[in-house]
Amino acid sequence: MLASSPLRLKHTCGNLTFLVRFHLPGPCNESERSLSTIYFPVQIPVLIEELISVEIWKHKVFPVLCRLKDFKPKSTFPIYLVLHHEASIINLLETVFFHKEICESAEETILDLIDYSHRKLTLLAARSASGEIPDQEKLQPEDLANVSSMQELQKQAEMMEFEISLRALSVLRFITDQVESLPLSALTRMLNTHNLPCLFVELLEHCPWSRRTAGKLKKFENGMWYVVPPEDHAKMTKLDGQVWIALYNLLLSPECQRKYNFDSFNKNQLLKLRTFLTDVLIDQLPNLVEMQRFLSHLAVTEPVPPKKDLILEQVPIIWDRIIKENSGKWQAIAKHQVKHMFSPSEEELKQQACRECQVQHWQKHKKACDLVADAAKKIGDLNIQP
């Protein structure tokens, strides 16, 4: 990550995301056959390590760049590409992790991905509880051309962080779909190390993707905030559904029930879910009837504490390894990147100007892009027909 060109990273991952979305329209045999074509050239563990590398860069190097008084780049676009690289990778993982084979192919790095998602959702819940969710609307293409300072770049990074956290939620839900085939270490990490069931309860309580502005209910979906019509106020969003399905997977699986510690705190937190389980909600997701029964039973019983078996379990290593290898070097890394990556030459600026020109004229060629997107969708629809 430290030596890679921002343009190369963003271009490669962006193309992969397009290819996967084009070839994987949904859970069907046709898309399964094209899965190996897209997947095997880029191994999932490599993407997960790249994802965590960029996350660490954002926490350790990007703040140093923002504090450098003598760093006044002619263009912040190369830095934006690195920031957006994390969004590109998590977008790609969200697209492919629906498939069981992809989830299993992560092997031991699934633990690192679970930890990554937990970090994102913990921060999301904390910011929501304190009212720090960004209220900026979806970034428009022209915003990118107008980025003129590191301060503006920080604001955009904050908005991207919010969207990345929501995609991490989807990835984590897809991981919970595979609890039967996950390593025991992954299950232990989700249930006991991170206590994901209680974290999901907190997300439902604060609902970061929903807010009221000037008396109107707004919800965040498909990358933007929209005003919800009064008749749709009780309608479940995709993000609500992801949380409920993840809870269903973790609480109703026999193996999870055996391993999870239903102590008084956890039990009281989980029983808060009964408030949300209305008839309207259950009509939209009928499987939640089983969740309702489980919670009713939990309210009147004292579950047996899980046995503390002596086991050897794997632990995630990517974050700790990268931090250890670069500890005390963040200032030097930032200065090196200022000189070799974030101070583009005149020729590179001209190439970038071409990109900015495309952005500024987005409205003119948007219709053509929409036609291409519609054509791709129709091809996808043909692929999923029996």
Side-chain angles (χ1 to χ4, degrees), residues 274-289:
R274 292 189 296 178
T275 305
F276 301 99
L277 287 170
T278 63
D279 292 340
V280 175
L281 182 70
I282 293 174
D283 284 342
Q284 297 175 72
L285 199 57
N287 285 354
L288 292 181
V289 169

Side-chain angles (χ1 to χ4, degrees), residues 133-145:
I133 296 298
D135 57 1
Q136 183 179 351
E137 301 297 330
K138 183 179 179 180
L139 296 175
Q140 299 300 319
E142 57 268 20
D143 295 331
L144 181 57

